[in-house]
Amino acid sequence: MREVIARHGLSASKALGQNFLFDEQLLDRIAAIPGSLNGANVLEVGPGPGGLTRALLRAGANVTAIEMDRRCLPALAELEEAFPGQLKVIEGDAMKIAPETLFEGPWHVVANLPYNVGTALFIGWLGGEAWPPQWQSLTLMFQEEVARRIVAEPDTSAYGRLAVLAQWRSHARLAMKVHRSAFTPPPKVMSAIVHVVPGDAPEGVSMRVLARVTEAAFGQRRKMLRQSLKGVPGALEALETLGIDPQRRAETLSVTEFVSIARVLTR
């Protein structure tokens, strides 16, 4: 990979949130987290010069990679030639491309996400009323702080809206920590990989309603629920119906309790 980067005169772009990984053993370990990918469709966002892409291709995956940095396209073109029929590179912004338009069947997402859009992409993949989703798993690298927010338990400092949205109908786990020294250039923070698989969706709950409730509750997380939820029509009545003390704060509510509130409001 160092030779590829040198040959193409590439350097990580801070504006695009890029940090390159060179360690092939580490990259192979990341590609193995979802289980066997032999013959599976995989979406990769922000492949850069193709370090993780190589690992996915070596694992037998059929990779569709979305890259908006035109400088990286020649390096990725070399991989297309080396793995004929296994790699398709799309130049574009992943925030503007719907994955379901790229695949005929189910797919996995495996990506060292650009830090500046990672959370937004993740929330988008978790969203929608239809469930289960067409993706079979998400294996995503984030800043460690963000990764811990995704898998956080209630009544902890990391617990918030991201945890509820990730856990109410999915199973999320912290799969691997990645030291900052593994990257070029090294970021200022540690990284971690989260693995998410779809679970059963609770009945009678609208994703849109749950998103609205959690946004209000955690938007003013230091305030009691009677204050933070008063702008959500019917929310205070829902608390009373469910016997949830309105003097509690959002971080003390379990995922199940948020789902219960959303279910009442969905009705």
Side-chain angles (χ1 to χ4, degrees):
M1 281 305 303
R2 293 183 187 278
E3 293 175 3
V4 170
I5 286 174
R7 186 165 65 252
H8 293 282
L10 296 174
S11 60
S13 167
K14 187 174 182 179
L16 295 176
Q18 291 176 334
N19 298 93
F20 298 153
L21 278 172
F22 295 135
D23 186 333
E24 290 197 6
Q25 287 188 332
L26 174 61
L27 291 165
D28 285 339
R29 286 172 58 202
I30 294 171
I33 290 173
S36 175
L37 293 176
N38 189 38
N41 293 323
V42 173
L43 172 65
E44 184 185 8
V45 175
L52 180 56
T53 316
R54 287 171 180 245
L56 293 169
L57 294 169
R58 285 195 296 266
N62 298 312
V63 180
T64 298
I66 302 175
E67 178 57 67
M68 67 183 303
D69 186 355
R70 186 167 294 180
R71 301 174 306 150
C72 296
L73 298 182
L76 294 171
E78 291 181 4
L79 284 181
E80 285 186 280
E81 294 180 8
F83 292 87
Q86 269 188 260
L87 175 61
K88 178 181 180 182
V89 179
I90 298 173
E91 181 185 0
D93 183 351
M95 293 290 292
K96 300 177 181 178
I97 298 174
E100 55 269 19
T101 65
L102 305 177
F103 303 100
E104 293 184 0
W107 68 87
H108 299 265
V109 183
V110 184
N112 173 13
L113 291 175
Y115 283 161
N116 53 358
V117 296
T119 302
L121 285 169
F122 182 59
I123 290 175
W125 292 326
L126 292 172
E129 298 295 340
W131 201 262
Q134 290 177 271
W135 53 264
Q136 294 178 300
S137 72
L138 307 174
T139 304
L140 307 172
M141 188 179 301
F142 296 97
Q143 297 178 29
E144 185 177 2
E145 177 187 355
V146 176
R148 292 198 177 280
R149 297 211 313 263
I150 292 168
V151 301
E153 297 290 334
D155 224 359
T156 62
S157 59
Y159 183 71
R161 181 171 185 254
L162 202 54
V164 178
L165 296 183
Q167 296 175 32
W168 78 284
R169 57 183 182 180
S170 300
H171 306 289
R173 67 181 178 92
L174 196 64
M176 184 191 301
K177 295 180 183 178
V178 183
H179 197 275
R180 55 186 297 274
S181 62
F183 296 90
T184 300
K188 295 180 180 179
V189 297
M190 300 285 280
S191 298
I193 297 172
V194 172
H195 183 62
V196 181
V197 294
D200 294 330
E203 294 184 3
V205 181
S206 164
M207 172 66 193
R208 180 182 57 80
V209 173
L210 181 66
R212 186 176 183 186
V213 170
T214 54
E215 183 178 18
F218 289 105
Q220 305 179 70
R221 64 181 297 143
R222 300 313 306 161
K223 292 187 176 181
M224 297 178 184
L225 293 172
R226 67 185 182 191
Q227 285 295 116
S228 61
L229 292 182
K230 68 180 181 180
V232 180
L236 298 184
E237 291 83 353
L239 295 180
E240 184 177 358
T241 298
L242 296 166
I244 297 174
D245 186 351
Q247 296 189 75
R248 291 172 64 184
R249 292 183 171 86
E251 67 264 25
T252 70
L253 267 66
S254 67
V255 174
T256 300
E257 286 177 308
F258 274 112
V259 168
S260 296
I261 296 169
R263 180 180 288 114
V264 171
L265 296 179
T266 299
R267 291 172 186 162

